[in-house]
Amino acid sequence: MIKRRETKVIKIGSQKIGGNNPILVQSMCNTDTHDAAATVKQINALQKAGCEIIRVAVLNMAAAKKLGQIKKQIQIPLVADIHFDYQLALEAIQQGVDKIRINPGNIGSEDKIKMVVEAAKKKKVPIRIGVNSGSVEKRILAKYKNKATALALTESALYHVKLLEKFDFKDIVISIKASDVNRTIAAYQLLSKKVRYPLHLGVTEAGTKWIGTIKSAIGIGSLLNQGIGDTIRVSLTDDPIEEVRVGWEILKDLRLRKRGRVLISCPTCGRTQINLIPLAQAVEKATEHITKPITIAVMGCIVNGPGEAREADIGVAGGKGVGVIFKKGKTLRTVKEKDLLKELLAEINKL
Ligand code: SF4
């Protein structure tokens, strides 16, 4: 079992992160925030897919002024992503967002930082400091031969933390992302030893669905396995729904959360006598909508299949032109190959 690092609990609207609270799955809209209807539609679809906190980009005042309208039409906490402009941060807080992501060091004078902090305190809105390879301050970079190393990323994050703590603000979440997996892991490891604030994990600009999934699974998965991380966002160049799906798979595979199906399927080999690959893919697709935790196995042979998938709630093991449906490793019945998908799904539905 994974022993999680002890962190401060931070409340984000209806959700809590840090401490022993579940590790939450986040995503970010790619709609124009100014288009409230499209943004609400995407947020609701993401929530259905399992998104638990949503972030939107706030580029200008017109977009900031739509945040209240968006917030009223959604059920998950809303985070405003702001760069540089303290007035956008003040407006977002005023509009009732549940968290803002802004780096205090980029706001400008201390007066402006103070104004944002005071407004956030008053409305109990936490602030996420989001450091990434591209945002490290020039003077810090200079110390590290102009490279955003893990140490440079950590130093930058601690600099922003100090600016908030200076005004006695401690409702902080931190992310420290690089697009390089090893650097991301090293940076979070370093930071986790320095602060007790909850950490938002991610490998930034991880890439397209296939490449980005692998990078994120290694980066986020390694850290979670070490007990580091309180909320995750998988960054993919794809529909954000895919980010949510990947996020859940990472958490499920590490047994940190339960939601929907866990699919076990064998790689096929010379013993396989049914067309297993399309069957496994069809089962994966047909069970995508299930939210109840269930383990399904799709195995190539009766010799090893049910035994190897003993922990599965329900499964199928291929024979010659047939498949044996089994439950918790015990045989239920033998079905012709052409009927396998239908019969297996019928058994799954019974569960
Ligand atoms: Fe081969 Fe059977 Fe193992 Fe599948 S379950 S890889 S068919 S031995």
Side-chain angles (χ1 to χ4, degrees):
M1 207 169 121
I2 294 171
K3 189 174 178 316
R4 284 175 64 193
R5 183 182 76 105
E6 272 177 42
T7 52
K8 184 175 158 63
V9 177
I10 302 285
K11 199 167 176 292
I12 299 159
S14 54
Q15 296 278 24
K16 280 184 188 154
I17 60 171
N20 284 325
N21 291 294
I23 295 163
L24 300 181
V25 176
Q26 310 201 17
S27 186
M28 187 168 180
C29 285
N30 58 6
T31 51
D32 176 357
T33 308
H34 187 248
D35 185 348
T39 304
V40 166
K41 193 173 169 209
Q42 186 170 54
I43 294 173
N44 289 335
L46 283 163
Q47 185 198 357
K48 211 171 157 203
C51 181
E52 296 169 305
I53 296 178
I54 188 69
R55 181 162 46 117
V56 294
V58 182
L59 269 70
N60 50 41
M61 197 48 86
K65 288 200 181 291
K66 295 283 173 131
L67 293 169
Q69 197 181 322
I70 294 168
K71 166 90 185 129
K72 275 195 202 101
Q73 297 176 74
I74 62 170
Q75 278 83 46
I76 52 176
L78 180 66
V79 184
D81 191 280
I82 295 156
H83 288 273
F84 312 116
D85 192 338
Y86 80 105
Q87 283 177 318
L88 295 183
L90 292 176
E91 182 61 29
I93 294 168
Q94 190 57 34
Q95 290 277 330
V97 297
D98 300 294
K99 182 169 80 172
I100 55 169
R101 183 257 167 141
I102 192 163
N103 291 347
N106 302 342
I107 297 178
S109 69
E110 286 210 348
D111 286 0
K112 292 176 184 168
I113 301 173
K114 196 172 174 212
M115 268 195 264
V116 173
V117 165
E118 291 305 326
K121 260 192 207 170
K122 207 168 148 198
K123 293 250 184 179
K124 295 191 168 51
V125 171
I127 296 178
R128 170 158 73 89
I129 292 165
V131 169
N132 56 43
S133 332
S135 78
V136 179
E137 293 66 31
K138 278 194 186 129
R139 64 177 172 81
I140 296 176
L141 276 181
K143 273 175 72 181
Y144 298 94
K145 297 184 181 157
N146 282 325
K147 284 201 179 109
T149 61
L151 272 169
L153 286 159
T154 309
E155 193 171 325
S156 173
L158 294 174
Y159 156 66
H160 293 290
V161 168
K162 262 202 175 132
L163 286 174
L164 293 180
E165 287 178 341
K166 190 173 175 183
F167 298 106
D168 199 30
F169 189 85
K170 304 219 168 102
D171 235 359
I172 303 170
V173 179
I174 314 169
S175 64
I176 187 167
K177 306 176 186 179
S179 57
D180 177 86
V181 174
N182 288 329
R183 211 178 335 143
T184 302
I185 295 171
Y188 276 102
Q189 284 171 329
L190 280 170
L191 185 64
S192 69
K193 291 193 185 102
K194 305 263 183 198
V195 293
R196 281 283 162 261
Y197 295 117
L199 299 181
H200 162 126
L201 299 186
V203 177
T204 196
E205 295 129 19
T208 50
K209 186 171 153 184
W210 193 74
I211 294 167
T213 296
I214 295 168
K215 269 195 202 175
S216 302
I218 299 170
I220 296 173
S222 305
L223 288 162
L224 289 173
N225 178 258
Q226 293 164 38
I228 299 170
D230 303 280
T231 177
I232 65 170
R233 190 249 169 142
V234 172
S235 301
L236 298 179
T237 315
D238 211 302
D239 186 329
I241 289 210
E242 299 298 335
E243 299 186 344
V244 174
R245 286 193 184 128
V246 174
W248 273 102
E249 286 302 321
I250 295 172
L251 293 177
K252 285 193 293 186
D253 288 339
L254 288 167
R255 313 254 159 133
L256 285 163
R257 298 281 306 268
K258 282 182 179 173
R259 187 183 199 268
R261 52 108 172 92
V262 169
L263 184 65
I264 298 168
S265 62
C266 84
T268 73
C269 72
R271 285 190 195 90
T272 324
Q273 288 181 299
I274 59 165
N275 203 2
L276 194 83
I277 297 171
L279 177 66
Q281 288 168 343
V283 172
E284 182 185 11
K285 185 105 199 91
T287 54
E288 229 167 47
H289 64 285
I290 294 175
T291 52
K292 186 183 161 177
I294 168 181
T295 304
I296 304 165
V298 181
M299 308 297 282
C301 73
I302 195 71
V303 185
N304 293 330
E308 280 175 17
R310 202 164 277 131
E311 283 175 30
D313 294 301
I314 199 87
V316 63
K320 196 168 185 219
V322 292
V324 176
I325 295 185
F326 61 89
K327 205 173 183 175
K328 308 261 183 210
K330 294 217 170 72
T331 303
L332 281 185
R333 63 182 179 281
T334 302
V335 175
K336 282 190 187 141
E337 187 176 354
K338 69 174 178 46
D339 299 322
L340 264 180
L341 179 64
K342 192 177 74 191
E343 299 248 355
L344 181 63
L345 293 179
E347 285 300 330
I348 290 168
N349 283 335
K350 278 191 208 163
L351 290 171

